[in-house]
Amino acid sequence: MAQFEDITYQVDGPAGIITINRPDRYNAFRAQTVDELIAAFQDAWTDPAVRAVILTGAGEKAFCTGGDVKQRAETGDYGPSELGRFRIGDLHKLMRDIPKPVIAAVNGVAIGGGHVLQVLADVSIAADNARFGQAGPRVGSFDAGFGSAYLARVVGEKKAREIWFFCRQYTADQALEMGLVNKVVPAADLLTEAKSWVDEVAALSPTAIKFLKQSFNADSDHQLGLSNMAMTALDMFGVSDEGMEGAKAFAEKRTPDFGPHVAWH
């Protein structure tokens, strides 16, 4: 099993528990974090003892707040990575492809790219203090692939557009009402609840679960093409003047000025 710096990974009975471990950055991910998440999911895939994966965040404040915008403001990218590229699209695909249920245990804020991760999980269990929302257009970023197209499948077109166009935040109860999460529990009970769901699925046929997950995914797998194109566009947009204005404003704790970039074609 690989040794990690930005995450932790442990096997507890039938559960593979992946924890993003950057609480000082509200569990925002850099390129190294994504590399490590991919390695942990691959470990969970090949381990016959693991019947489902729990994805959560360290501490009580944040599940994940997406890409590390401070890192992007400092270096113009998300830092060095194992293969020389930021593999967030690969992580999204892996979460869908792993033939075992992925359970997001949302222990705090799930914002931006962190919100996308919990959307892509097969089921989500939220602590009662969790909050959900998007921040991309506020910090010069977006996810025009699974993060938007698949979100619309989950909550409907109108709500998905609201989430992205206005960058509002939603409580755990609001998330439950819109179908964004499956259950809300007291924060102290979150991991215990997630493990109980793993125990339930561990008693079922793993081959049946594999076929079912692939069947559910088949209906939206065409969105992968959109996701790949969107990630290429985001790479280009992120280093543009407009994209960097959002990142720099976030790091400097000021309101971004996107006015010079308004152009209607």
Side-chain angles (χ1 to χ4, degrees):
M1 189 177 298
Q3 297 299 310
F4 301 119
E5 179 183 353
D6 285 9
I7 72 167
T8 64
Y9 176 61
Q10 65 180 110
V11 177
D12 185 352
I17 304 174
I18 300 173
T19 305
I20 303 173
N21 191 28
R22 304 187 77 216
D24 58 317
R25 291 288 179 106
Y26 288 87
N27 294 324
F29 49 72
R30 54 183 176 172
Q32 178 180 330
T33 319
V34 174
D35 286 345
E36 293 181 9
L37 286 167
I38 289 171
F41 271 102
Q42 289 173 335
D43 282 348
W45 185 324
T46 57
D47 187 345
V50 173
R51 301 292 296 276
V53 178
I54 296 171
L55 178 63
T56 192
E60 301 176 353
K61 294 182 178 180
F63 168 75
C64 177
T65 53
D68 190 335
V69 181
K70 288 185 178 180
Q71 168 85 45
R72 187 159 68 90
E74 292 166 3
T75 65
D77 59 17
Y78 289 106
S81 63
E82 182 181 356
L83 299 181
R85 58 188 178 86
F86 185 48
R87 296 195 289 159
I88 190 64
D90 294 351
L91 175 61
H92 291 173
K93 186 175 186 300
L94 180 56
M95 289 178 64
R96 286 170 57 86
D97 286 349
I98 183 173
K100 304 173 182 183
V102 176
I103 300 171
V106 185
N107 55 303
V109 292
I111 300 294
H115 183 258
V116 174
L117 293 182
Q118 82 82 26
V119 168
L120 283 172
D122 295 294
V123 297
S124 296
I125 304 168
D128 52 8
N129 64 341
R131 296 187 69 84
F132 301 82
Q134 268 307 329
R138 183 175 287 130
V139 297
S141 184
F142 58 83
D143 185 334
F146 285 124
S148 51
Y150 184 66
L151 176 64
R153 293 290 185 97
V154 175
V155 300
E157 284 277 351
K158 292 285 189 178
K159 202 66 180 180
R161 290 168 191 251
E162 174 189 316
I163 290 168
W164 271 103
F165 289 171
F166 299 96
C167 295
R168 295 170 181 165
Q169 292 189 18
Y170 305 86
T171 67
D173 287 338
Q174 288 173 320
L176 182 64
E177 182 180 2
M178 71 175 86
L180 191 59
V181 301
N182 298 82
K183 188 172 183 178
V184 176
V185 299
D189 299 335
L190 179 63
L191 201 55
T192 299
E193 181 70 22
K195 289 179 182 178
S196 75
W197 284 52
V198 176
D199 289 340
E200 283 188 60
V201 80
L204 306 176
S205 163
T207 303
I209 296 297
K210 176 180 179 179
F211 273 112
L212 286 165
K213 179 161 180 174
Q214 291 172 345
S215 177
F216 284 125
N217 286 346
D219 187 48
S220 52
D221 269 348
H222 66 278
Q223 293 175 357
L224 177 60
L226 286 174
S227 182
N228 289 338
M229 185 171 62
M231 291 304 168
T232 299
L234 183 57
D235 286 344
M236 299 173 65
F237 176 70
V239 295
S240 70
D241 290 343
E242 184 176 354
M244 290 306 299
E245 167 60 15
K248 290 176 180 177
F250 179 86
E252 296 166 6
K253 298 182 179 180
R254 61 174 174 82
T255 301
D257 179 13
F258 292 123
H261 306 288
V262 173
W264 306 110
H265 298 290

